[in-house]
Structure formats: structure tokens, C-alpha cells
């Protein structure tokens, strides 16, 4: 591809004016835009005529089915989704910070362990982790994840989240200017004291926007709790929607659950970009 | 303190970064109460020398002795020794997530273990001294460069250092703000603070310093009375450097 370009390039003398006179760039642009509008309208009209709106509405937006979902949608499903994701996030953050510090440690085996952890758990599908956790009691007889179902869900999200969080936090720690550590050390602080009082607080501030995005990712991954075979009071949004959809043989619950996710994730996304903009200004 | 002991004594100091030898054997000392300015072209090793004094850079070889304590001894308590040395950086390096007052208090609290009330009293005293008392609750980003640098000076002073190091303290400042910082430094000098200052401000070096050291190529080329080194340099390299600095528009190219 690049070879082709390289050989083709010199054969055309530089600075040759385009051969055809006629349409000006402005006119060409106008025609191109008109074509784009025509295509859009054509597609919309085609879909509007072709789609059978009745059955579609019956299947995806059936009022009676949607009504059946309340109040459990919020009091059980959303609540659990938030418990899983916030729990997973908190532990992933702490574990991620530990791995980030290990990765930057002067003790070589610590660096190896951190790199191995990050590479392994970033490279595995999250579903696989949850399946591992499901089979953990078989592999380790007598072992039980503390916290029961909540514990298992949070453990899965922690294991996955920590790998990403470690990399984000490492980037944050390295983004704190070296002069900050030097200033702290020149005031007589030990390395550890300077880390805790000066560097880590700044790093955390730097990673707030990407971390917010990671929380959104974790919130979506909490749907994988489904694979733990949760039921009853432990169901989160996706499992709840899936169960309701089966019960009524209707896809409406899936749509409602989807909207519920968006109610949380879209504001969080906005928050992340607002924090990001504020940070750029503050620097 | 007895006059026998040097504030700082540096013997045969070498520092290499990989292949590059930045300091090629430095010998000099600073007496208590003395103000010594280090001048020289960029890349001459003067900042590295300063950073070796409180071991922000680990010297490749040689000795740094601070008030009788050898900092280059591998078993020395470096954090304890550094408490006696204040450092002011070219880029200020204030802690951006803390207010001015917190900046000046944090090391007092965490390192000297002073109580909150005492730390705050000392902080306000020193901020008063550098003329920033009214900005206590501002964050560094809300201050001008000159104000930030004066806070940095107050932060170092709050630790009651025996020696202050200044690493090109006015080089990152807008020209109209340089004067405020130099005025604070002059006041400190007049109060008898021992100071080692890397600077390009020749007027400051001439008027305030007791001694001026000219460095070039990793060695000390000339060391003497301020008026003599700047007013009547003996070495050709010193003369060439001063001609360029003092009269930049007539430099031969």
C-alpha cells in the first residue's frame, strides 16, 4: 500500500493544476452535501414504510409488561447493580493503586508480579473471570468468597477492574511533575511520606476523568454477575431484565433495563468530560 | 556555632549522567552567614552542583559535608539532614492541591511534627515576611509567578533551615516580577541567612553576594569577592561570559 503510494507519487509532477476546469470546490461541496441529504431521507422513508410498527411496539414497548417491572426495577435490580459496581470499583481502586505502586517499585520481583497481573487480567474476557469464580469452591474445597453472592460479584469486578485501574493510576502517578517529589524531599519528607501527602493526592486528581469512565465500564460489566447464577434478591439489572423477558415472552423488559443503564451511564459520561475540561483549565 | 565549621564543604565532587560528566571535581565551601552566588553559562553544571548539596542528585564521587555531617555517607539519615537545608526551585514546585497556608504548613506538621497552631503561626510569620500574608487561602494556580516563588521561599524558611539553596529562582518569572523575589532574597541575606544561589541576575550577585563563583564546563573557573569576579575578572572564560551577559547586544558572533 505504502509502496504503491511511494512509486505513484513522483510520477505526477508537483504543483500541476487539476486538469478539469468547471466546477469550483465550493460548488462540488454543495452538490456532495445535497447527495448526502437525499440518501438520508431515502433511508428514513424506506424504513418508515417497511417496518411493521405494530408488532414492534407490542414486543419492545408493551406498557403492561413495563408496569410489572416496578418497583423491583429500582428497589432490587438497580440497587444491586450499584452495589456490585461501587463495591467492585472501591476494591479495584485500592488493589489497582497497590499494583501501580508495585509496578514502579525498586524491588524487581514486585514489578514482575504487577506486570504479570496486569497483562493477564487485562487480556482475559471478563466473563471468563466470573466463570472462574463460579468454579472456585470446586477448586478450593472449603473456600468461600466472603460476602456470599455480593462478595463473588464484587470479587469478579475487582479482579478485572484492578488491572485497568493499575495502569491508569500508574499513568497518573507518572504525570505528577518530578519537581513535586523533589520539593517534598527537599523539605525533609521521606519517600513514602512524599508519596502519601504530595504525589498520590495529585495523581488521584489527574485520574478522576479516566476513572469515571472506568466506573461506567465496570457498571456495564456488572451484568456479568448473570453468570454466577444469581437469583432472587441478588439479581442486578441485566439478569432482572432477562428473567422478566422470559416470563412474559416479551422483549420490553430488555428495553426498559437498557434505558435504566443509560439513566446512570450518560450522566456519568457527562460528568467525566466536565471534570476533564475543568482539569485542563485548572492546570 | 563555632566559626571553624563550614556551613557546607564540598570536596572533589564528581557527577556523571551516563557518559556525560557534568561535574569534574568541585572543591569549595560556604561559611555560615555567607551569601555565595554561582554564575556560569547553561550546561556548566551549576544547577547540578546545587542539587548535589542536598543530594537531590547522588554524586558519583566526592564528599558533601553539611554542618559537620557528611551527606555522602551511605548510612546518613538524609531526611534529617535535608531538614536543615531549604531549597527554592526555578519552577517553584508549590503543591498545587494545597492552599498557600497548607503549603507552608505541611512539612512542619509531617516532618517536624509541630502542632497545628504552632505550624500555622510559623507559616503566617514567614508568609508575612515574604509579603504574601493576605494570600493564605489562595491556591498556587491563582498566584503570579513572583508570588508563587515567594511562597516557596516561605515554605522553605518555615523549616528553620541553616542553609538556603536557590536554583535560578527568578529564571521562570516575567521581568517585572523578578524584583519582588530578589528583594525578599536580599532581606534574607541581610538577616544573616547562609545562602547558595545559582542565578543569572548579575546585579543581585554584585550587590548582595559576599562571594561569586564562576563555573564553566563542570569546573570552578573563578571564585572570589563579588565585586572582583564580576567587576574585574581574571580568567578569560569569565571575561567572555560576563561580556555576553552584561552587554548582550554587542556580543561578537
Amino acid at each position: 500500500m505504502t509502496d504503491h503510494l511511494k512509486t505513484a507519487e513522483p510520477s505526477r509532477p508537483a504543483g500541476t493544476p487539476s486538469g478539469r476546469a468547471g466546477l469550483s470546490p465550493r460548488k462540488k461541496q454543495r452538490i456532495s452535501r445535497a447527495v448526502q441529504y437525499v440518501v438520508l431521507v431515502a433511508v428514513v422513508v424506506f424504513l418508515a414504510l417497511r417496518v411493521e410498527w405494530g408488532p414492534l411496539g407490542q414486543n419492545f414497548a408493551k406498557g403492561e409488561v413495563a408496569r410489572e417491572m416496578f418497583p423491583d426495577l429500582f428497589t432490587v435490580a438497580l440497587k444491586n447493580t450499584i452495589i456490585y459496581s461501587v463495591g467492585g470499583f472501591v476494591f479495584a481502586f485500592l488493589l489497582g493503586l497497590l499494583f501501580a505502586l508495585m509496578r514502579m517499585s525498586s524491588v524487581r520481583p514486585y514489578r514482575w508480579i504487577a506486570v504479570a497481573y496486569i497483562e493477564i487480567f487485562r487480556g482475559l474476557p471478563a466473563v471468563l473471570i466470573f466463570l472462574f469464580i463460579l468454579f472456585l469452591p470446586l477448586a478450593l474445597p472449603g473456600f468461600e468468597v466472603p460476602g456470599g453472592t455480593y462478595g463473588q460479584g464484587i470479587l469478579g469486578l475487582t479482579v478485572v477492574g484492578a488491572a485497568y485501574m493499575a495502569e491508569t493510576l500508574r499513568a497518573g502517578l507518572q504525570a505528577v511533575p518530578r519537581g513535586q517529589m523533589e520539593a517534598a524531599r527537599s523539605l525533609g519528607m521521606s519517600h513514602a511520606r512524599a508519596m502519601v501527602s504530595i504525589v498520590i493526592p495529585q495523581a488521584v486528581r489527574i485520574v478522576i476523568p479516566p476513572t469515571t469512565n472506568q466506573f461506567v465500564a465496570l457498571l456495564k460489566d456488572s451484568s456479568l454477575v448473570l453468570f454466577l447464577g444469581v437469583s432472587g434478591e441478588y439479581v442486578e439489572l441485566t439478569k432482572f431484565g432477562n428473567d422478566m423477558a422470559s416470563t412474559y415472552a416479551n422483549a420490553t423488559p430488555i428495553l426498559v433495563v437498557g434505558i435504566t443503564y443509560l439513566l446512570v451511564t450518560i450522566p456519568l459520561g457527562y460528568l467525566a468530560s466536565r471534570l476533564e475540561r475543568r482539569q485542563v483549565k485548572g492546570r | 556555632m563555632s566559626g571553624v565549621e563550614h556551613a557546607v564543604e564540598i570536596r572533589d565532587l564528581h557527577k556523571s549522567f551516563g557518559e556525560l560528566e557534568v561535574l569534574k571535581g568541585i572543591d569549595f565551601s560556604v561559611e555560615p552567614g555567607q551569601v555565595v552566588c554561582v554564575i556560569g553559562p547553561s550546561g556548566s553544571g551549576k544547577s547540578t552542583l546545587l542539587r548535589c548539596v542536598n543530594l537531590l542528585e547522588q554524586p558519583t564521587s566526592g564528599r558533601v559535608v553539611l554542618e559537620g555531617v557528611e551527606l555522602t555517607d551511605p548510612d546518613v539519615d538524609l531526611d534529617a539532614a535535608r531538614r536543615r537545608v531549604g531549597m527554592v526551585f526555578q519552577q517553584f514546585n508549590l503543591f498545587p492541591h494545597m492552599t498557600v497556608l497548607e503549603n507552608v504548613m505541611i512539612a512542619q506538621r509531617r516532618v517536624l511534627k509541630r502542632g497545628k497552631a504552632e505550624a500555622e503561626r510559623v507559616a503566617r510569620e514567614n508568609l508575612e515576611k515574604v509579603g504574601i500574608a493576605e494570600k493564605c487561602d489562595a491556591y498556587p494556580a491563582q498566584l503570579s509567578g513572583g508570588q508563587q516563588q515567594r511562597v516557596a521561599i516561605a515554605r522553605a524558611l518555615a523549616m528553620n533551615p541553616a542553609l538556603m539553596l536557590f536554583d535560578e529562582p527568578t529564571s521562570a518569572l516575567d521581568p517585572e516580577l523578578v524584583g519582588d523575589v530578589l528583594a525578599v532574597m536580599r532581606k534574607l541575606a541581610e538577616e544573616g541567612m547562609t545562602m547558595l544561589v545559582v542565578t543569572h541576575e548579575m546585579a543581585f550577585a554584585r550587590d548582595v553576594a559576599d562571594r561569586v563563583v564562576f563555573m564553566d564546563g563542570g569546573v570552578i573557573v573563578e571564585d572570589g569577592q563579588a565585586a572582583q569576579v564580576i567587576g574585574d575578572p581574571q580568567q578569560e572564560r569569565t571575561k567572555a561570559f560576563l561580556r555576553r551577559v552584561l552587554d548582550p547586544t554587542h556580543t561578537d558572533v
Side-chain angles (χ1 to χ4, degrees):
Chain A
M1 180 70 177
T2 45
D3 279 329
H4 170 73
L5 278 177
K6 263 180 205 153
T7 50
E9 204 80 42
S11 69
R12 199 191 320 143
T16 310
S18 67
R20 273 164 295 155
L23 287 179
S24 70
R26 188 176 64 95
K27 281 178 185 151
K28 277 190 219 161
Q29 225 172 41
R30 203 186 286 168
I31 290 171
S32 151
R33 197 172 307 149
V35 169
Q36 291 179 48
Y37 272 110
V38 168
V39 169
L40 177 67
V41 170
V43 169
V44 169
V45 168
F46 175 78
L47 284 178
L49 293 178
R50 227 9 240 276
V51 170
E52 297 177 44
W53 292 103
L56 192 73
Q58 275 300 303
N59 239 305
F60 275 101
K62 202 172 177 187
E64 305 96 78
V65 176
R67 237 166 282 138
E68 286 299 317
M69 298 177 71
F70 292 93
D72 285 1
L73 175 68
F74 292 123
T75 55
V76 178
L78 180 60
K79 186 195 83 182
N80 282 338
T81 288
I82 289 176
I83 290 176
Y84 289 124
S85 358
V86 170
F89 180 78
V90 169
F91 287 108
F93 186 89
L94 296 175
L95 194 61
L97 183 59
L98 180 70
F99 279 120
L101 292 172
M102 278 173 73
R103 176 119 199 226
M104 294 164 68
S105 162
S106 53
V107 182
R108 195 168 299 176
Y110 278 180
R111 292 205 298 272
W112 291 338
I113 293 170
V115 169
Y117 181 90
I118 292 165
E119 292 301 333
I120 290 172
F121 287 102
R122 253 192 340 180
L124 290 177
V127 183
L128 214 59
I129 313 273
F130 278 88
L131 292 176
F132 268 126
I133 290 173
L134 189 60
F135 284 98
L136 218 48
L138 286 180
L140 305 165
F143 173 79
E144 217 172 300
V145 180
T149 308
Y150 283 134
Q152 285 184 321
I154 289 173
L155 175 66
L157 292 172
T158 300
V159 167
V160 178
Y164 290 95
M165 212 70 95
E167 282 297 83
T168 308
L169 282 165
R170 181 175 66 103
L173 288 168
Q174 287 174 342
V176 175
R178 223 171 54 130
Q180 292 291 312
M181 175 58 91
E182 289 182 351
R185 296 305 300 274
S186 78
L187 289 166
M189 291 189 202
S190 66
H191 183 87
R193 168 47 68 193
M195 257 337 214
V196 170
S197 291
I198 307 300
V199 177
I200 291 178
Q202 290 184 59
V204 168
R205 257 157 253 236
I206 291 172
V207 301
I208 284 175
T211 307
T212 312
N213 285 322
Q214 255 161 24
F215 179 72
V216 170
L218 218 58
L219 191 94
K220 292 188 289 180
D221 279 346
S222 71
S223 63
L224 298 171
V225 167
L226 184 77
F227 287 89
L228 295 174
V230 293
S231 60
E233 54 175 323
Y234 294 113
V235 296
E236 44 66 62
L237 280 169
T238 301
K239 171 77 173 156
F240 178 71
N242 192 27
D243 289 353
M244 293 290 274
S246 311
T247 308
Y248 293 92
N250 188 290
T252 306
I254 310 277
L255 184 81
V256 173
V257 161
I259 292 169
T260 313
Y261 273 113
L262 293 179
L263 283 178
V264 183
T265 53
I266 291 180
L268 275 175
Y270 269 106
L271 183 70
S273 58
R274 259 197 59 187
L275 290 169
E276 209 158 345
R277 250 174 293 143
R278 214 181 62 181
Q279 200 169 63
V280 170
K281 255 193 304 185
R283 289 246 129 194
Chain B
M1 194 187 302
S2 67
V4 192
E5 207 165 58
H6 302 293
V8 187
E9 188 185 359
I10 291 167
R11 286 291 159 254
D12 196 29
L13 189 73
H14 289 259
K15 173 66 185 174
S16 302
F17 293 103
E19 292 287 287
L20 184 71
E21 191 175 23
V22 180
L23 298 179
K24 301 172 182 166
I26 302 285
D27 284 285
F28 91 111
S29 53
V30 180
E31 307 310 321
Q34 225 177 21
V35 177
V36 178
C37 279
V38 183
I39 61 172
S42 52
S44 59
K46 50 195 194 307
S47 281
T48 306
L49 170 63
L50 198 73
R51 293 162 60 83
C52 281
V53 172
N54 67 352
L55 255 68
L56 278 183
E57 300 290 354
Q58 179 72 42
T60 312
S61 68
R63 280 157 47 90
V64 177
V65 181
L66 187 83
E67 294 184 308
V69 180
E70 187 186 339
L71 298 191
T72 34
D73 176 353
D75 291 321
V76 76
D77 181 355
L78 206 52
D79 295 329
R82 282 197 182 119
R83 280 172 222 161
R84 304 285 297 154
V85 188
M87 179 142 187
V88 175
F89 299 85
Q90 184 178 354
Q91 297 297 338
F92 329 136
N93 293 349
L94 292 182
F95 306 134
H97 59 302
M98 298 179 182
T99 64
V100 164
L101 195 63
E102 287 164 350
N103 261 278
V104 185
M105 285 172 65
I106 178 86
Q108 294 188 65
R109 300 268 287 137
R110 297 281 179 262
V111 178
L112 301 181
K113 309 286 179 200
R114 284 182 186 153
K116 191 163 182 241
E118 195 199 352
E120 183 167 340
R121 183 182 58 75
V122 174
R124 285 186 190 278
E125 238 172 60
N126 282 293
L127 287 166
E128 184 84 38
K129 191 176 196 172
V130 299
I132 314 270
E134 74 283 9
K135 298 280 185 188
C136 278
D137 298 319
Y139 282 88
Q142 298 167 306
L143 303 182
S144 75
Q147 290 170 329
Q148 288 190 49
Q149 193 61 299
R150 284 183 282 156
V151 174
I153 294 174
R155 180 176 69 177
L157 289 177
M159 304 294 286
N160 302 111
L163 166 72
M164 286 283 285
L165 305 175
F166 292 85
D167 187 6
E168 302 198 24
T170 57
S171 296
L173 296 179
D174 290 334
E176 78 271 21
L177 303 176
V178 169
D180 295 339
V181 172
L182 291 182
V184 168
M185 289 168 62
R186 173 194 280 273
K187 194 161 102 185
L188 266 185
E190 283 163 0
E191 288 172 6
M193 175 63 75
T194 313
M195 293 163 63
L196 186 53
V197 186
V198 169
T199 186
H200 291 292
E201 299 292 336
M202 291 305 145
F204 177 82
R206 191 180 48 215
D207 297 347
V208 180
D210 300 302
R211 252 172 70 205
V212 169
V213 173
F214 173 71
M215 279 183 72
D216 192 15
V219 294
I220 290 178
V221 176
E222 200 158 344
D223 179 352
Q225 297 274 317
Q228 186 247 308
V229 174
I230 293 177
D232 181 25
Q234 301 303 304
Q235 302 291 326
E236 200 45 53
R237 278 195 278 176
T238 319
K239 287 180 193 168
F241 172 75
L242 286 169
R243 257 200 313 275
R244 283 168 179 271
V245 174
L246 297 175
D247 195 9
T249 52
H250 288 94
T251 300
D252 301 321
V253 276

